[in-house]
Amino acid sequence: MTEPRRLRGHKATATCCIASRDKPGLVATSGEDGCICWFDMRCKDVKFVMDVSNEPISSLCFNSGNENIIYVSTGNEVKSFDVHMLADNSWKPLESYNYNKEEINQVTCNSRSSFLASADDGGEIKIIDIHQKRIFKTLRAGHTSICSSVQFIPWRPWEIVTGGLDSKFIIWDFSKGRPSKIVDFGLPDMRSGSNAGQCLNPAFVHSVKVPDVDMLDKIGKICVVARGDGVIDVINTESELTATKPKSSTKSRKGTQSKGSDGGVPDENGRKWLHLDYSLGGHTAAVSCVTFSLFGEKGKFLVSGGNDKLVKVWDCSRCLDSWQTGDTNELLHLDINLTKKVNWLCTTPAESDNLVVCDTTKLVKVYSVS
């Protein structure tokens, strides 16, 4: 890889980055300086800087239906801003939501722009009704530690997935306010498949990601889980939910699996999973972030970043083929060596300058992946 482009604007560590789908090349980044920096990849310098908080900003997301509206989590608060309505240096929020009791780790908006979800250090997830401007549901009694990541499932309008530092991955029905499925990666049988060279950190879940609606034809109804032991799990969410039967035995769960368009050969627990670990060229330390590629054929690549100072670009179509065939050769498309650990990464729908990485410095790095 050639030397990355460096984006300057933050006065402290960059924490999060998001890329516009509607305007290729437009990227927003957040930092521990409480600022949001806007960059246009066609220009050299920062477009403008929003000073929105005295506290670090933990995450950002666009309103799915209107990218002029952005949601920001800082401390235990979620703020929304209309970028077009902002006067110079007057960053007054449209709305402020103070429902979380603990510090928020991620905020996300559903594909219909009707709900926000904010996951916090207390293990709770607040579902906020955007139109009614009020709390819709609090999800608790799932995570016993920090809830680090949350995503809506676009093909299941009342369900979300979360991951936490209790090593749990949970699928929730947020209309009912309860879990539909809990997977505990901390259990011994969940770790037995790990390669001998795999790092021995706890299998905390640091990041979860589901594909956007326009990627489903290509990669199916999956969820990707980034773990503290360096493993990335690609999970067939539909087979997991199908297999959720009260007190069902391993044998009966195996019976619910069938090879179909969603792919997968069940493991000994009847699960259709793919483990991208050290033996396949994976990470040697905790994986901090995962995302799908927006460039080229959307969803063709899965991009992961970790505490081993590496970004890995995985070929999604090969990964899903390997689900059917068991052939795990050449799943890793590209390795990018960094000098710092990865905090966050995102991709843009452009042909170059399409991978944006926030590491543990104030400089945001931009790479070109083909």
Side-chain angles (χ1 to χ4, degrees), residues 3-20:
E3 276 293 296
R5 180 177 167 188
R6 288 170 169 79
L7 304 180
R8 289 171 169 83
H10 289 291
K11 301 182 189 75
T13 300
T15 54
C16 181
C17 52
I18 55 173
S20 167

Side-chain angles (χ1 to χ4, degrees), residues 48-199:
F48 63 95
V49 180
M50 297 167 58
D51 190 350
V52 300
S53 176
N54 296 321
E55 294 184 83
I57 296 170
S58 56
S59 84
L60 302 168
C61 70
F62 287 113
N63 179 295
S64 308
N66 177 6
E67 287 191 347
N68 291 326
I69 295 175
I70 188 171
Y71 300 100
V72 180
S73 63
T74 171
N76 61 352
E77 185 176 24
V78 176
K79 300 177 182 179
S80 66
F81 298 90
D82 186 332
V83 180
H84 276 186
M85 284 173 58
L86 297 173
D88 288 345
N89 300 322
S90 173
W91 313 119
K92 192 171 184 299
L94 284 177
E95 302 292 338
S96 266
Y97 303 107
N98 288 280
Y99 299 122
N100 294 78
K101 297 189 185 78
E102 305 278 345
E103 194 166 309
I104 296 168
N105 295 302
Q106 188 171 18
V107 62
T108 189
C109 178
N110 72 338
S111 58
R112 298 180 179 184
S113 316
S114 51
F115 291 107
L116 289 172
S118 54
D120 68 28
D121 277 0
E124 292 190 352
I125 304 96
K126 301 292 182 179
I127 307 293
I128 299 162
D129 186 319
I130 293 173
H131 302 311
Q132 301 287 333
K133 299 177 183 176
R134 62 178 176 84
I135 188 80
F136 175 79
K137 207 72 103 180
T138 295
L139 308 182
R140 56 168 71 94
H143 290 288
T144 54
S145 181
I146 290 168
C147 183
S148 52
S149 190
V150 58
Q151 293 278 291
F152 286 95
I153 305 179
W155 60 91
R156 286 180 170 266
W158 295 101
E159 295 187 40
I160 62 166
V161 291
T162 61
L165 302 197
D166 51 4
S167 302
K168 285 181 183 152
F169 165 76
I170 303 179
I171 305 174
W172 301 80
D173 181 334
F174 68 84
S175 67
K176 296 174 181 170
R178 60 173 184 254
S180 310
K181 177 79 180 184
I182 299 177
V183 175
D184 188 347
F185 290 109
L187 296 174
D189 67 318
M190 297 299 293
R191 297 177 60 92
S192 60
S194 289
N195 184 274
Q198 199 62 47
C199 79

Side-chain angles (χ1 to χ4, degrees), residues 305-316:
N307 287 356
D308 52 4
K309 304 175 188 174
L310 289 170
V311 169
K312 293 180 180 285
V313 181
W314 304 86
D315 188 321
C316 261

